[in-house]
Amino acid sequence: MARILVADDEQGFREFIAEALQTEGHEVAQASDGVEALAYLGREGFHLLVTDLKMPRMGGIEVLRWVREHQPEVEVIVLTAHGSVGGAVEATKLAAFDYLEKPLKSPDAIRLLAQRALERYSLKNLREGSAPEEVQTLSYGDRIMTPVVEALRKVASTDATVLLSGETGTGKEVAARALHRWSSRSAGPFIAVNCAALSDQLLESELFGHEKGAFTGATGRRRGRIELADGGTCFLDEVGELKPELQTKLLRVLQEKKYERVGGEQTLEADVRWVAATNRDLEEMVRLGSFREDLFHRLQVFPIHLPPLRERREDLPKLATALLARIGRELGRPALQLGEGVDAFILAQRWPGNVRQLANALERAAILSDTGVLGVAELDPRGTGYGGRTALEREGGAGEFVTLEALERRAIAQTLEQVGGHRKKAAQRLGIGLRTLYEKLKRYRLD
């Protein structure tokens, strides 16, 4: 029902804790030390952290201090060896929820303590109505984003289905996570499904689950993403990629809140909040007959459009700084900073791949930098300017109109060049499914 991070350098004990929490329906990630824990915390949202105090590279106290500074809404349970309660006392002073002494006699102790911590998480966030950290990544004050953030806040308190639209890389999943964390379902799971990443048969199984023997290779029963999202939020990314048969099955779930596993006869109920996202024009797809009109209206109960990064200039400098801080934590180089002239360079680009492209450029620059100070030379090592000059200069002046298709074609071509033609890597960098990439390569004759 919640997202939990377990950090402990003893693999057997870490897996014991994770399994105990997973049996309660929670989504659990595991980190082998404090550095790995910070990398997880920096890129994913969690409700609860369960951390050992003594770990290599970075201990639990340092991780707790970081959480209190950057993600104060996250609840923390610390684990300490028998007789070593001094560190646990220090952790409680840093507002850890509680501590447990190792070894645990039974898994019930961590289950009960986690339940209490998650209850406090829900009450605290509902009472304070504080902005989840995801919203900070989504906007740093640009006026064009104010109605977007306000719409997310208002609709979060309901169970209305939300359709997020916008170009690739504009932060649709970030917005969906923010909506979930603002909602009364925040202690429940947030389950994301990329509708373009799998074949039709695998996607159906991924969504609805399957029974043993339902198809070749189905050696046992498997719970689907809808079932795993029970009590929480199910996020359907790239929903415009669904084929007609799956559109029909999804429509039934949205209308009746009922479904069956693949190869199963038992009817299950879906207690989930639905959020869908697309970078395609679903209305045009409805007109062309490739997307069901009734499903479109079921999804578009509350539509929210996310503007591209080129329309959010006021966000760019602070966003770049925040992304670099996260990248620094992931690379184990927390002192990374932007050098002279970089802000101006970033502001001069159109960033057709939006936030994802900016993040990739910063990560590449961080790896190239020997000093930890990122200059234009590291950010743009080939001197291409992500198109070279400003948008108007690239397209020949103010009088010439540049289409979104032209920008998309250029972004795909440049990404393929950067990854040496490796299409799977290119799709991952662009934030689209492999099938979608193949369709665009055919459309733009980039084969």
Side-chain angles (χ1 to χ4, degrees):
M1 296 173 62
R3 283 184 52 77
I4 302 174
L5 175 62
V6 178
D8 196 301
D9 59 316
E10 297 179 42
Q11 182 179 353
F13 185 76
R14 184 175 72 240
E15 292 176 349
F16 168 79
I17 295 288
E19 185 177 349
L21 297 170
Q22 285 169 336
T23 58
E24 297 294 296
H26 300 304
E27 184 180 346
V28 183
Q30 300 182 44
S32 60
D33 58 33
V35 173
E36 190 175 342
L38 285 192
Y40 266 112
L41 290 162
R43 67 176 179 262
E44 300 181 33
F46 292 94
H47 305 95
L48 173 63
L49 167 67
V50 181
T51 180
D52 192 12
L53 284 179
K54 294 189 179 297
M55 296 182 289
R57 296 202 293 173
M58 182 182 292
I61 292 296
E62 289 87 347
V63 176
L64 178 53
R65 287 198 182 103
W66 185 92
V67 168
R68 285 294 153 257
E69 181 180 353
H70 298 281
Q71 298 179 7
E73 75 281 0
V74 175
E75 295 294 345
V76 180
I77 295 172
V78 298
L79 304 167
T80 182
H82 179 66
S84 305
V85 296
V89 171
E90 184 180 357
T92 55
K93 289 179 180 178
L94 288 169
F97 179 76
D98 209 338
Y99 70 92
L100 280 174
E101 289 188 31
K102 299 165 65 174
L104 303 185
K105 294 181 180 179
S106 80
D108 290 337
I110 187 63
R111 288 175 185 149
L112 291 172
L113 198 56
Q115 180 181 342
R116 287 172 46 213
L118 291 169
E119 287 172 355
R120 189 171 83 163
Y121 174 94
S122 295
L123 290 172
K124 182 172 65 176
N125 282 276
L126 285 173
R127 180 174 63 249
E128 295 176 356
S130 57
E133 188 191 17
E134 286 89 346
V135 171
Q136 287 299 306
T137 307
L138 194 62
S139 174
Y140 287 86
D142 194 298
R143 285 167 291 181
I144 197 173
M145 291 299 293
T146 301
V148 174
V149 174
E150 189 60 26
L152 287 168
R153 185 190 290 276
K154 287 183 176 179
V155 75
S157 62
T158 75
D159 255 355
T161 300
V162 176
L163 179 62
L164 302 169
S165 61
E167 295 176 14
T168 295
T170 49
K172 294 186 286 295
E173 182 168 349
V174 172
R177 288 186 180 277
L179 191 154
H180 171 72
R181 303 233 344 239
W182 256 329
S183 76
S184 60
R185 293 174 174 263
S186 61
F190 177 92
I191 303 295
V193 185
N194 189 322
C195 299
L198 300 169
S199 66
D200 296 343
Q201 183 186 42
L202 288 176
L203 179 58
E204 183 178 8
S205 172
E206 191 74 13
L207 276 171
F208 302 104
H210 63 250
E211 296 289 350
K212 181 178 180 180
F215 50 83
T216 302
T219 57
R221 171 184 287 180
R222 181 181 179 186
R223 298 167 69 198
R225 294 300 183 96
I226 297 173
E227 193 172 348
L228 292 172
D230 189 67
T233 301
C234 191
F235 173 58
L236 302 174
D237 198 10
E238 297 196 55
V239 71
E241 305 298 326
L242 285 175
K243 297 303 181 185
E245 184 179 352
L246 276 178
Q247 290 180 31
T248 302
K249 293 185 177 182
L250 178 60
L251 177 63
R252 183 198 171 204
V253 182
L254 291 170
Q255 286 179 331
E256 304 175 17
K257 298 184 178 180
K258 296 182 182 195
Y259 66 100
E260 290 84 34
R261 298 189 189 99
V262 177
E265 297 179 353
Q266 179 186 1
T267 298
L268 305 174
E269 292 196 6
D271 175 23
V272 299
R273 198 271 179 76
W274 295 96
V275 181
T278 183
N279 58 10
R280 303 185 67 177
D281 186 343
L282 293 189
E283 287 190 80
E284 177 67 9
M285 292 178 68
V286 169
R287 189 183 71 80
L288 295 173
S290 58
F291 200 85
R292 291 185 63 120
E293 184 175 7
D294 45 7
L295 177 58
F296 170 68
H297 291 303
R298 281 283 176 180
L299 292 172
Q300 195 178 233
V301 175
F302 197 95
I304 298 177
H305 179 72
L306 289 148
L309 203 53
R310 61 183 172 276
E311 295 177 9
R312 298 165 46 194
R313 292 301 185 190
E314 293 175 36
D315 273 348
L316 269 169
K318 289 182 179 179
L319 174 61
T321 301
L323 288 171
L324 187 61
R326 187 195 73 191
I327 290 164
R329 291 194 300 270
E330 293 175 354
L331 295 177
R333 301 176 66 189
L336 290 173
Q337 56 183 297
L338 298 175
E340 184 178 353
V342 171
D343 278 355
F345 174 81
I346 289 173
L347 285 166
Q349 312 309 312
R350 288 185 64 88
W351 303 109
N354 295 294
V355 179
R356 189 173 291 114
Q357 184 187 12
L358 175 59
N360 288 342
L362 289 168
E363 183 173 2
R364 182 170 58 252
I367 293 169
L368 290 172
S369 174
D370 295 323
T371 64
V373 179
L374 278 59
V376 174
E378 288 85 16
L379 197 63
D380 187 24
R382 295 187 181 182
T384 61
Y386 301 104
R389 299 142 285 170
T390 64
L392 292 178
E393 290 172 327
R394 283 200 306 273
E395 299 304 322
E400 188 170 342
F401 179 72
V402 52
T403 66
L404 289 177
E405 284 196 350
L407 289 170
E408 184 177 60
R409 188 185 192 281
R410 184 183 301 121
I412 292 172
Q414 288 177 349
T415 302
L416 281 167
E417 182 182 357
Q418 290 165 7
V419 298
H422 194 295
R423 297 184 181 187
K424 186 174 181 180
K425 288 182 180 178
Q428 290 171 341
R429 285 200 181 187
L430 290 164
I432 60 177
L434 189 58
R435 184 170 63 193
T436 303
L437 176 61
Y438 276 105
E439 290 175 357
K440 291 182 184 297
L441 290 174
K442 184 177 180 181
R443 183 194 311 169
Y444 296 135
R445 297 183 180 179
L446 288 171
D447 280 325

